[in-house]
Amino acid sequence: MRLEHTVKYSTIDKYKGLIKLMRPKQWIKNVFVLAALIFSKKMLDVLSLKETLFAFILFCGISSSVYIINDIADLEKDRKHPKKRLRPLPSGLVKKRHAAILFFILALASLILSFLINANFGIIVLSYFIINLAYTFYLKNIIIIDVMVIAVGFVLRVIAGAEAIGVASSPWLLLCTLLLSLFLAITKRKNEVIVLDNNAKSHRNVLDEYSVKLLDNMLSIVTSSTIIAYSLYTFYAEKGYYMMITILFVIYGIFRYQYLVDSKTFGGSPELAFFEDKPFLINGILYCITVILILYI
């Protein structure tokens, strides 16, 4: 008999479980929606700030709906994962039907409100939703395509932020976002392969296709490409001479994250590295402050 069938949870615990099911810690990924606002130097424009914050909230809603449907689809596999088995659904804290109801509420509300900002933003959010549904039920089982789909999700966040305030998306910003998100996705796969070892296939079929050597080779390419692309971006950016200073923060952040993946297995959850590793957090804050000072002062 499974543990989740024998444990009695209080009503408060169940509500906490529903909140945890939405994975609020992973909302940190939606800060990519703010990129266009910051780099277009519209952060001091009240209307643009409101639109971007609203867009951020809607992406939190739609991404949470994706997390929920993914947890429902992977319920049996998550029960075999050493960490994911403690999530609200696999542990029995939240019932499957309650999770399904929350999924429909979040998805429907986020999509309707997205089209109220403007049609282009709504289409991007809808595209993000459809692509992630395809990922949940099929694309995550195709080697290389699985990590590329994750990267596309981050790029769509940046484009959505630009559409929300009516500015053009910088090709350099999109390229850097694509490469950085590929870096995060590949390190996540590496972490899963290492942690799950022989049980990797039972958790996710595509993990049987990956090897640590292959993932390390992919990481070496993506890491160097990310640093080169961001460096070129700063060279051609406004106030490029000063923006080059931020390259140091990017290099440190990438290297620090790789260190965390190898030594502390944070690679499976990037948000843990941000919230629990002080050097990584401080570096991110200093990067943001430096960029804002350069662009606005």
Side-chain angles (χ1 to χ4, degrees):
M1 183 179 292
R2 291 193 181 98
L3 179 62
E4 62 268 21
H5 291 163
T6 62
V7 177
K8 297 293 184 180
Y9 296 105
S10 67
T11 303
I12 295 178
D13 287 334
K14 292 178 180 179
Y15 280 120
K16 288 181 178 179
L18 287 173
I19 295 175
K20 190 176 180 180
L21 188 65
M22 295 189 291
R23 304 190 201 176
K25 284 187 177 181
Q26 295 206 24
W27 291 347
I28 188 67
K29 298 175 182 178
N30 296 318
V31 297
F32 281 82
V33 174
L34 309 178
L37 176 73
I38 296 173
F39 287 99
S40 65
K41 299 197 292 186
K42 285 196 170 188
M43 200 170 66
L44 301 180
D45 180 70
V46 177
L47 181 60
S48 296
L49 181 60
K50 287 182 179 179
E51 293 287 357
T52 301
L53 291 178
F54 189 36
F56 172 81
I57 293 172
L58 291 178
F59 250 95
C60 289
I62 200 66
S63 60
S64 288
S65 73
V66 169
Y67 297 143
I68 293 171
I69 196 64
N70 185 70
D71 283 354
I72 293 174
D74 290 345
L75 180 56
E76 293 303 322
K77 292 182 178 180
D78 285 349
R79 283 176 174 149
K80 301 175 184 178
H81 193 280
K83 293 182 179 179
K84 293 182 180 180
R85 63 185 177 84
L86 302 175
R87 287 178 176 177
L89 268 177
S91 67
L93 178 58
V94 174
K95 293 182 178 180
K96 193 173 180 179
R97 67 174 182 273
H98 293 158
I101 292 172
L102 183 59
F103 160 73
F104 281 111
I105 292 174
L106 287 174
L108 190 61
S110 299
L111 289 172
I112 291 175
L113 293 174
S114 294
F115 279 94
L116 293 180
I117 291 185
N118 63 61
N120 288 339
F121 179 81
I123 291 173
I124 294 170
V125 174
L126 178 61
S127 300
Y128 173 88
F129 181 67
I130 293 173
I131 290 173
N132 277 277
L133 285 182
Y135 172 84
T136 297
F137 294 104
Y138 180 66
L139 296 178
K140 68 181 179 182
N141 295 315
I142 305 177
I143 187 172
I144 300 177
I145 295 295
D146 61 326
V147 293
M148 293 187 70
V149 170
I150 294 174
V152 168
F154 283 92
V155 174
L156 287 176
R157 286 175 170 94
V158 175
I159 297 175
E163 289 294 339
I165 59 176
V167 298
S169 301
S170 166
W172 282 108
L173 181 59
L174 296 181
L175 176 61
C176 292
T177 301
L178 176 66
L179 292 170
L180 180 60
S181 51
L182 273 175
F183 168 78
L184 294 174
I186 295 171
T187 53
K188 180 179 176 66
R189 287 291 177 269
K190 179 181 176 181
N191 173 261
E192 290 174 334
V193 170
I194 293 175
V195 172
L196 296 173
D197 197 15
N198 295 328
N199 296 320
K201 186 177 180 180
S202 63
H203 173 67
R204 198 190 301 273
N205 292 333
V206 75
L207 294 180
D208 194 47
E209 303 291 332
Y210 285 111
S211 66
V212 174
K213 182 179 179 181
L214 171 62
L215 292 167
D216 281 337
N217 288 336
M218 294 169 66
L219 275 176
S220 64
I221 295 172
V222 171
T223 300
S224 57
S225 298
T226 302
I227 295 174
I228 292 172
Y230 184 79
S231 299
L232 290 173
Y233 172 54
T234 62
F235 295 163
Y236 293 104
E238 185 179 353
K239 301 182 180 179
Y241 184 79
Y242 297 101
M243 282 295 291
M244 289 168 61
I245 298 172
T246 63
I247 297 175
L248 297 173
F249 296 110
V250 172
I251 293 175
Y252 176 83
I254 289 175
F255 288 171
R256 179 70 186 179
Y257 190 73
Q258 287 183 319
Y259 161 74
L260 294 175
V261 171
D262 289 337
S263 64
K264 299 185 178 181
T265 65
F266 277 172
S269 302
E271 68 278 3
L272 291 180
F274 188 84
F275 287 112
E276 297 184 11
D277 185 68
K278 289 184 179 179
F280 191 82
L281 174 61
I282 293 172
N283 181 71
I285 294 174
L286 289 176
Y287 170 80
C288 293
I289 292 175
T290 304
V291 168
I292 292 172
L293 287 175
I294 292 172
L295 293 179
Y296 292 84
I297 299 179

